[in-house]
Amino acid sequence: MDMVIVMLGAPGTGKGTVGHLLSKEFNIPHVSSGEIFRSYLKKHGELAEEIQNYIEKGQLVPDNLAINLIEKRLFEEDVKKGIILDGFPRTILQAEKLKEILAKQGRKVNIAINLSLPDNEIIERIVKRRTCPNHECRAIYNLDFKPPKIEGICDNCNTPLIQREDDNEETVKQRLKVYHQTSEILIDYYKHQDILYTVKLNQKSDVTTLGIAEEIKEYLKRN
Ligand code: ADP
Ligand code: ZN
C-alpha cells in the first residue's frame, strides 16, 4: 500500500527516531530534509555555503531551495511506494507545494504525525543528543536516555558518534523560536484535513518503546 507519512514536531522530539522505526516497520524510505541539506554541505560549493549559513543560525533554508531539493527526491524510484517525510514541510508554502507534487503522482499525505514535547525538555534532549554519521545507519543516541554501550561509539556499526554542529544550546533556542513561529499554522493545516495524529510526549517518554507504529497502523485502518 502506498503511504505518505509526514513527521511534524519540534527539533529534538524524536522525528528522526520515529521516522526510522516506521521506515523499517512499513518498509518505505525515511527521507529527512535536514539530512538532505547536510549531505549537500559536503559536496556542492556555492549552494553548500548558502545552506550552511542558514543551518548554522538555526534558520530555515529558503522555501524555494527546500522545495526544489525535496521535489527531486520525490520523483526518485524508491519512494514511489511510500515515503516518510521528516522535516518537510516546515511552512505552509512547502505544504501546498508538497500537495501539488503528490497530486501529480496521484497521491496525497495520508497522515501527519505530530510529536509534542515541552520546550525545556527539548533543549535538554538536544544538547545531549549524539548521532551516528554513517548514512546506512543514522542511529540516534542520548547521553542520559539512551547512551551507547561503548562511550562515543555506535552500537550498530562501530562508527564514532558525532554531535551535530547545530545541536548546541544557542542554535537550539533559535530553532525552537523558528519552530513556534511556523508550526502552529502547519499543525492546523493538517488538522483541518483530518489527518493530524498527535503524540504527547514527556520527559520520560521513550519513542522507541511507545508502539507508535502500531498506533499508526490502527489509525490508518480506521481512516
Ligand atoms: P531538527 O528537526 O532537529 O531541527 P533537521 O535535521 O530537520 O533538524 O533540520 C536542520 C536544519 O535544516 C534546520 O534548522 C533548517 O535550517 C534546515 N531545514 C530542514 N528542513 C527544512 C525545511 N523543510 N525547510 C527549510 N529548512 C529546513
Ligand atoms: Zn551507526
Side-chain angles (χ1 to χ4, degrees):
M1 182 180 66
D2 179 27
M3 210 177 339
V4 178
I5 299 177
V6 162
M7 306 284 319
L8 303 175
T13 48
K15 294 191 302 280
T17 306
V18 172
H20 194 62
L21 279 174
L22 295 176
S23 162
K24 278 195 268 175
E25 183 69 31
F26 297 126
N27 201 19
I28 53 179
H30 168 220
V31 172
S32 150
S33 54
E35 259 169 42
I36 291 181
F37 296 138
R38 283 190 290 280
S39 73
Y40 255 78
L41 299 187
K42 289 181 202 131
K43 29 183 197 190
H44 297 245
E46 236 170 80
L47 191 52
E49 236 170 77
E50 197 191 337
I51 294 175
Q52 169 111 29
N53 247 310
Y54 293 103
I55 293 187
E56 224 162 51
K57 296 199 187 97
Q59 282 164 0
L60 292 185
V61 169
D63 275 336
N64 61 345
L65 199 57
I67 289 164
N68 277 340
L69 293 180
I70 292 290
E71 179 162 24
K72 261 193 217 128
R73 186 69 186 89
L74 281 167
F75 281 97
E76 281 170 30
E77 199 55 39
D78 64 327
V79 297
K80 294 219 163 111
K81 289 206 189 77
I83 185 168
I84 296 158
L85 272 171
D86 163 6
F88 188 96
R90 282 260 224 299
T91 64
I92 291 291
L93 185 71
Q94 292 181 12
E96 286 288 337
K97 262 293 177 191
L98 175 63
K99 196 173 163 189
E100 270 175 41
I101 297 165
L102 290 172
K104 275 188 226 161
Q105 304 175 330
R107 329 160 73 181
K108 59 183 171 48
V109 174
N110 297 101
I111 183 170
I113 303 170
N114 176 31
L115 301 175
S116 98
L117 180 71
D119 275 6
N120 54 337
E121 285 159 27
I122 287 176
I123 295 170
E124 268 284 305
R125 282 193 187 203
I126 294 191
V127 294
K128 290 183 177 154
R129 173 159 76 182
R130 297 294 180 272
T131 316
C132 175
N134 172 2
H135 279 282
E136 260 100 72
C137 174
R138 307 188 304 185
I140 300 162
Y141 298 87
N142 183 287
L143 297 185
D144 283 341
F145 219 107
K146 192 198 167 207
K149 291 197 184 87
I150 303 167
E151 199 186 317
I153 303 289
C154 179
D155 293 351
N156 302 338
C157 70
N158 291 325
T159 305
L161 299 175
I162 59 159
Q163 178 170 29
R164 264 169 53 183
E165 261 177 60
D166 60 348
D167 279 356
N168 61 72
E169 188 158 345
E170 196 191 338
T171 311
V172 171
K173 285 193 172 146
Q174 179 56 32
R175 278 152 68 200
L176 276 175
K177 198 170 138 202
V178 170
Y179 173 74
H180 288 299
Q181 282 163 356
T182 52
S183 67
E184 230 156 89
I185 169 165
L186 202 56
I187 287 169
D188 277 350
Y189 177 87
Y190 287 114
K191 199 191 265 168
H192 281 130
Q193 297 172 35
D194 238 357
I195 51 174
L196 184 74
Y197 186 81
T198 297
V199 184
K200 280 219 161 103
L201 305 169
N202 61 44
Q203 199 184 355
K204 296 193 190 77
S205 312
D206 176 356
V207 289
T208 59
T209 56
L210 279 182
I212 293 175
E214 280 64 46
E215 286 183 31
I216 303 300
K217 271 191 207 156
E218 285 303 315
Y219 178 93
L220 290 169
K221 253 189 244 163
R222 286 196 305 271
N223 289 274

